[in-house]
């Protein structure tokens, strides 16, 4: 080789496998036992220090993870199988001292694996999340309460010489108010009281007066309608749904659930509300609060979700399932379950104060500032801190595996392609986020 003389300021360009003629000055073919530092240049790599033997009984295929809470609390822990049981052991990194680990509830079953590469961990402050990529996420089988056989009659306009009728299962029951003032006093209570008496005489029907209204319940399903009064909708009835919130009464049966559908052709603007009486009274004045639709699964099965390893105040560790926040409002259209339910999770991460999940071609981020909440706060509108659920779309199948925060956004790596999740606003919001 011909002798070549040139000046190189430093060798901080790192290792390059390119041919010498195309190497950038400062790149080298190899660097063994050196540490390249922009301030001090190339220096000898610091040697390792033997701390302790962590145990001769730990198998070679054990999966190891670091726990770096801060500079004063550094640990390593391993997970392995022994005699058909799962072992989790934690050691102090500065002394090798083993810490006591308690496995609670479903922890041992969740960490059952066929390949230790299926396990991964993510540490956030005091919490270390442990993921088993082989576990299929599921919802619990429990559902929100089904709607009872009920109806509520509202008397909104009072008039003299008016007939107020309720038709139940095809039979009409009515009350006609006095003809004029001299014939007697007319008020909503009197109308409701007389109709209630007529309805209570029906077998299998119970009618209870609630202010200027009547709560009707039955031992079996029934049909009901109203007519009469001197004004349109002077008396009306609703059962499972009503078209506008303005028609909801300010007195009702405690716990009454009804759907406000607003539009007949669009489901996205529907919401479910429940009546809460003052002082939890059986019936009376109160407010309507947003709630979950009846007959829906609302709880994530914590046994199939990532578990948490938490350092306790006494220095021991506890591995347990996470208490995930339930779905409290909406339905599958207005507040759907996370897309990864029914699939396995490839990875978990933290981005912009949200807990994120990668599953197949989906990336899901939970509520901002609420790591264990994966559902929206309200079904009436999309809020900036609501969960984010995106799909990576390309010409070939995508299986997202890793993520990395960069200055331009969150980079997602699949088996063959890369994607970047960015936002057009300062706040990471479902209204402004994009995946390209």
């Amino acid at each position: 080789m011909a002798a070549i003389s040139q000046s190189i300021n430093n060798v901080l360009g790192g290792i390059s496998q390119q041919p010498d003629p195309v190497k950038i000055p400062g790149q080298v073919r190899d660097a063994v036992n050196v540490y390249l530092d922009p301030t001090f240049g190339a220096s000898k790599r610091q040697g390792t220090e033997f701390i302790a033997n962590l145990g001769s009984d730990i198998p070679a295929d054990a999966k190891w993870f670091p726990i770096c809470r801060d500079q004063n609390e550094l640990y390593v822990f391993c997970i392995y199988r022994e005699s058909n049981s799962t072992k989790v052991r934690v050691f102090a990194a500065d002394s090798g001292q083993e810490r006591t680990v308690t496995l609670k509830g479903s922890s041992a079953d969740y960490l059952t694996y066929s390949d230790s590469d299926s396990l991964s961990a993510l540490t956030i402050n005091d919490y270390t999340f442990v993921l088993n990529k082989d576990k299929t996420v599921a919802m619990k089988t429990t559902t929100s309460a089904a709607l009872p056989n009920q109806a509520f009659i509202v008397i909104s306009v009072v008039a003299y010489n008016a007939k107020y009728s309720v038709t139940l299962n095809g039979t009409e029951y009515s009350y006609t108010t006095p003809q004029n003032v001299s014939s007697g006093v007319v008020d909503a209570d009197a109308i409701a009281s007389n109709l209630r008496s007529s309805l209570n005489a029906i077998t299998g029907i119970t009618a209870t007066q609630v202010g200027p209204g009547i709560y009707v319940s039955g031992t079996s399903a029934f049909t009901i309608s109203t007519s009469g009064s001197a004004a349109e909708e002077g008396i009306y009835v609703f059962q499972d749904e009503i078209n506008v919130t303005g028609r909801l009464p300010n007195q009702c049966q405690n716990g009454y659930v009804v759907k406000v559908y607003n539009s007949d052709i669009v489901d996205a603007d529907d919401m479910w509300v429940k009546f809460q009486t003052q002082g939890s009274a059986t019936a009376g004045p109160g407010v309507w609060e947003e709630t979950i639709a009846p007959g829906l699964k609302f709880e994530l099965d914590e046994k199939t979700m990532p578990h948490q390893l938490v350092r306790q105040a006494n220095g021991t560790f506890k591995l347990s399932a996470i208490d995930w926040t339930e779905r409290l409002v909406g339905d599958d259209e207005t507040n759907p379950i996370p897309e990864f339910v029914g699939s396995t999770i490839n990875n978990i991460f933290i981005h912009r104060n949200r807990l994120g999940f990668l599953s197949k071609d989906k990336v899901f981020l939970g509520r901002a500032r609420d790591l264990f909440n994966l559902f929206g706060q309200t079904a009436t509108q999309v809020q900036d801190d609501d969960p984010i659920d995106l799909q990576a779309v390309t010409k070939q199948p995508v299986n997202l595996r890793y993520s990395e925060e960069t200055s331009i956004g969150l980079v997602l790596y699949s088996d063959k392609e890369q994607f970047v999740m960015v936002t057009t606003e300062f706040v990471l919001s479902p209204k402004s986020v994009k995946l390209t």
Side-chain angles (χ1 to χ4, degrees):
M1 178 180 293
I4 298 177
S5 176
Q6 69 179 105
S7 175
I8 300 177
N9 293 329
N10 59 63
V11 289
L12 301 182
I15 298 175
S16 173
Q17 296 180 348
Q18 296 184 96
D20 290 344
V22 297
K23 278 189 174 72
I24 299 174
Q27 290 183 330
V28 297
R29 295 180 186 176
D30 199 3
V32 180
N33 288 332
V34 297
Y35 180 72
L36 304 179
D37 186 273
T39 302
F40 301 104
S43 60
K44 185 177 180 180
R45 188 189 69 178
Q46 295 182 352
T48 58
E49 178 185 359
F50 177 79
I51 301 296
N53 187 341
L54 300 184
S56 58
D57 55 341
I58 301 177
D61 62 350
K63 190 71 172 182
W64 289 89
F65 304 98
I67 299 178
C68 302
R69 189 193 183 284
D70 54 46
Q71 291 183 349
N72 298 320
E73 288 194 55
L74 302 174
Y75 305 91
V76 292
F77 75 99
C78 64
I79 304 174
Y80 60 91
R81 299 283 294 170
E82 181 180 81
S83 301
N84 295 323
S85 64
T86 302
K87 300 291 184 181
V88 179
R89 300 174 67 177
V90 177
F91 304 88
D94 59 348
S95 65
Q97 180 183 6
E98 185 169 3
R99 302 300 176 90
T100 301
V101 180
T102 303
L103 274 61
K104 306 288 288 186
S106 60
S107 300
D109 180 67
Y110 179 77
L111 294 180
T112 301
Y113 60 88
S114 56
D115 186 346
S116 60
D117 288 338
S118 299
L119 302 177
S120 65
L122 171 69
T123 298
I124 306 170
N125 297 327
D126 292 323
Y127 295 85
T128 296
F129 300 103
V130 183
L131 169 67
N132 187 345
K133 302 175 186 178
D134 291 336
K135 289 291 183 180
T136 299
V137 179
M139 299 289 289
K140 287 185 177 180
T141 57
T142 52
T143 59
S144 53
L147 290 179
N149 303 309
Q150 61 182 1
F152 196 84
I153 303 168
V154 180
I155 300 166
S156 59
V157 178
V158 176
Y160 283 97
N161 195 26
K163 180 181 179 181
Y164 293 79
S165 298
V166 176
T167 301
L168 196 149
N169 288 338
T171 303
E172 181 183 85
Y173 305 87
S174 64
Y175 170 74
T176 301
T177 58
Q179 189 171 8
N180 49 47
V181 176
S182 61
S183 301
V185 177
V186 173
D187 58 26
D189 286 343
I191 300 171
S193 177
N194 281 274
L195 289 175
R196 175 192 59 80
S197 297
S198 299
L199 296 175
N200 263 331
I202 306 172
T203 302
I205 295 294
T206 301
T208 305
Q209 183 177 347
V210 183
I214 306 170
Y215 173 69
V216 182
S217 61
T219 56
S220 59
F222 58 87
T223 60
I224 188 170
S225 62
T226 59
S227 62
S229 175
E232 184 179 0
E233 293 226 331
I235 180 173
Y236 61 90
V237 64
F238 61 88
Q239 288 185 277
D240 301 342
E241 58 183 32
I242 195 169
N243 59 346
V244 290
T245 55
R247 300 178 69 210
L248 293 170
N250 57 16
Q251 294 191 57
C252 194
Q253 186 78 5
N254 189 45
Y256 198 107
V257 175
V258 63
K259 175 183 177 181
V260 182
Y261 58 87
N262 294 311
S263 171
D264 292 329
I265 58 176
V266 179
D267 293 332
D269 62 352
D270 296 345
M271 69 173 178
W272 289 86
V273 293
K274 177 191 286 187
F275 193 76
Q276 300 288 346
T277 57
Q278 297 175 3
S280 299
T282 303
V287 295
W288 293 91
E289 298 180 349
E290 195 173 359
T291 189
I292 188 172
L296 280 187
K297 295 179 179 180
F298 60 94
E299 295 176 290
L300 287 163
D301 187 353
E302 71 279 2
K303 297 178 182 179
T304 65
M305 291 285 289
H307 282 44
Q308 59 185 1
L309 180 65
V310 184
R311 180 188 179 277
Q312 305 301 297
N314 60 2
T316 64
F317 285 79
K318 181 174 70 173
L319 181 66
S320 62
I322 297 172
D323 185 16
W324 301 93
T325 302
E326 301 172 357
R327 176 166 54 168
L328 301 176
V329 299
D331 54 29
D332 288 336
E333 177 71 25
T334 59
N335 194 10
I337 61 177
E339 286 281 355
F340 59 76
V341 173
S343 303
T344 57
I345 299 173
N346 289 336
N347 215 331
I348 54 177
F349 60 93
I350 285 290
H351 180 60
R352 304 283 288 271
N353 211 9
R354 295 172 181 262
L355 183 60
F357 304 81
L358 299 180
S359 176
K360 295 184 178 178
D361 58 349
K362 306 291 195 307
V363 52
F364 181 93
L365 292 93
R367 289 274 301 277
R369 304 180 304 278
D370 193 355
L371 295 183
F372 303 149
N373 192 344
L374 307 184
F375 295 103
Q377 184 177 3
T378 175
T380 59
Q381 59 183 340
V382 177
Q383 298 184 336
D384 287 337
D385 62 348
D386 276 350
I388 296 172
D389 203 340
L390 300 174
Q391 180 180 14
V393 179
T394 184
K395 294 181 180 180
Q396 54 187 347
V398 176
N399 193 21
L400 299 174
R401 294 193 180 276
Y402 306 101
S403 65
E404 182 180 8
E405 286 190 332
T406 67
S407 59
I408 62 172
L410 184 70
V411 177
L412 305 176
Y413 299 91
S414 69
D415 294 331
K416 298 181 180 180
E417 297 181 78
Q418 298 178 13
F419 303 85
V420 60
M421 186 177 72
V422 298
T423 178
T424 57
E425 306 291 340
F426 177 76
V427 176
L428 181 64
S429 164
K431 295 181 288 188
S432 60
V433 69
K434 297 180 180 179
L435 183 63
T436 57

